[in-house]
């Protein structure tokens, strides 16, 4: 596990739960390439296995285990409310990292352009982009970084994502938290409407390993079920 600290100070905020094997792969790879001033995790599902894996990497970190199921956006808000550093490295429990993260350079890029909502570490090659979308890819240099924009081909997405990224905590404060947005799509649309966009480190530092089991889809199915129950059965669920 990496023992160094990042400069500038940044907090790793990690959502986890129900996927201890994915979480172990995520943290084994992440800690080979990065260290953090502080670490906060939230296990919104409360399973002991995932909490134990988290503790095996970060024995002294803050781990939130709510007494009841908490949906993603409120879970993230809970973590961010405890952050004391100006920047957040947001991560989920189903990513594998294989390159250095260049956090200091990412923060400098964020500070230089207020239109950037976040810098995402996901590899562009991890997206299933069409030839037309690849032709619209915009890559620019910022110091030692190459940054890619994908928003030219998509009017709503690429304003925000919960994929691994670096962002200013102040942005979260100004938007009033994530709790008021039904889905990640709505957060992205809000960012785009306010003239902000995601940029991606190019070629990127991580790829998704959780396609076989999506906690987000589990949460979405639960939300759809409860909505149908309210609409058609008129009962309180």
């Amino acid at each position: 596990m990496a023992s160094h600290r990042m400069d500038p100070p940044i907090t790793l905020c990690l959502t986890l739960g129900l996927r201890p094997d994915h979480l172990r792969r995520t943290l084994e790879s992440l800690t080979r390439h990065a260290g953090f001033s502080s670490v906060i995790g939230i296990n919104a599902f409360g399973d002991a296995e995932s909490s134990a894996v988290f503790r095996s990497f970060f024995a002294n970190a803050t781990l939130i285990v709510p007494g009841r199921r908490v949906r993603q956006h409120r879970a993230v808000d809970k973590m961010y409310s405890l952050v004391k550093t100006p920047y957040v490295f947001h991560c989920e429990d189903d990513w594998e990292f294989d390159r250095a993260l260049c956090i200091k350079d990412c923060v400098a890029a964020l500070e230089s352009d207020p239109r950037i909502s976040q810098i995402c570490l996901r590899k562009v090659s991890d997206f299933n982009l069409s030839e037309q979308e690849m032709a619209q890819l915009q890559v620019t240099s910022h110091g030692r970084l190459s940054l890619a924009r994908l928003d030219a081909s998509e009017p709503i997405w690429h304003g925000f994502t919960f994929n691994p990224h670096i962002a200013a905590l102040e942005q979260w404060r100004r938007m009033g938290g994530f709790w008021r947005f039904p889905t990640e799509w709505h957060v992205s649309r809000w960012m785009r409407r306010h003239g902000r966009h995601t940029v991606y480190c190019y070629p990127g530092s991580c790829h998704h390993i959780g396609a076989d089991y999506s906690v987000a889809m589990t949460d979405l199915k639960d939300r759809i079920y409860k909505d149908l129950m309210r609409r058609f059965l008129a009962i309180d669920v």
Side-chain angles (χ1 to χ4, degrees):
M1 181 172 66
S3 60
H4 58 284
R5 290 162 59 108
M6 282 294 177
D7 181 23
I10 190 166
T11 298
L12 170 63
C13 288
L14 180 72
T15 58
L16 59 133
L18 300 183
R19 298 181 292 190
D21 293 337
H22 289 77
L23 175 62
R24 185 175 299 279
R25 284 180 64 184
T26 298
L27 295 181
E28 284 177 347
S29 62
L30 177 60
T31 55
R32 280 197 297 267
H33 297 285
F36 300 91
S37 299
S38 60
V39 178
I40 302 173
I42 186 164
N43 185 347
F45 297 87
D47 65 300
E49 295 84 357
S50 295
S51 293
V53 171
F54 179 88
R55 287 295 188 200
S56 71
F57 285 86
F58 306 116
N60 299 316
T62 298
L63 177 60
I64 305 163
V65 183
R68 59 182 179 85
R69 170 81 175 275
V70 178
R71 292 198 176 113
Q72 181 186 27
H73 290 195
R74 289 190 180 274
V76 175
D77 285 343
K78 180 62 177 176
M79 282 195 299
Y80 284 20
S81 71
L82 302 179
V83 172
K84 304 300 182 183
T85 57
Y87 294 96
V88 168
F89 184 104
H90 183 94
C91 192
E92 301 161 309
D93 59 357
D94 57 351
W95 295 87
E96 190 159 31
F97 295 80
D98 58 15
R99 293 170 62 97
L101 304 182
C102 303
I103 291 182
K104 185 175 182 179
D105 296 322
C106 288
V107 168
L110 282 170
E111 292 179 341
S112 72
D113 189 346
R115 297 170 300 174
I116 299 176
S117 60
Q118 59 187 171
I119 297 183
C120 183
L121 287 303
R122 184 177 183 176
K123 293 181 178 181
V124 171
S125 61
D126 200 41
F127 291 96
N128 186 24
L129 298 178
S130 66
E131 290 185 8
Q132 180 180 358
E133 289 171 324
M134 284 300 297
Q136 293 177 292
L137 183 71
Q138 303 173 35
V139 180
T140 58
S141 296
H142 190 284
R144 296 182 296 174
L145 290 179
S146 291
L147 300 175
R149 289 181 61 174
L150 302 177
D151 51 289
S153 62
E154 168 56 54
I156 294 175
W157 282 111
H158 305 302
F160 181 84
T161 177
F162 283 117
N163 290 177
H165 68 264
I166 297 164
L169 183 66
E170 185 60 26
Q171 173 177 259
W172 168 78
R173 291 191 179 115
R174 288 180 177 177
M175 67 189 295
F178 295 116
W179 66 270
R180 61 195 186 94
F181 297 97
T183 68
E184 182 178 328
W185 179 89
H186 291 86
V187 183
S188 183
R189 183 177 65 174
W190 187 90
M191 290 290 186
R192 295 292 297 272
R193 286 179 172 176
H194 287 78
R196 313 199 79 187
H197 58 268
T198 298
V199 297
Y200 297 82
C201 277
Y202 190 75
S205 302
C206 63
H207 62 275
H208 192 217
I209 59 172
D212 58 325
Y213 184 87
S214 173
V215 170
M217 285 304 298
T218 300
D219 198 45
L220 179 59
K221 289 175 182 177
D222 180 62
R223 191 181 307 126
I224 291 172
Y225 168 77
K226 289 189 175 183
D227 184 61
L228 288 173
M229 291 289 283
R230 288 190 184 98
R231 288 174 180 266
F232 299 112
L233 300 182
I235 62 174
D236 184 20
V237 295

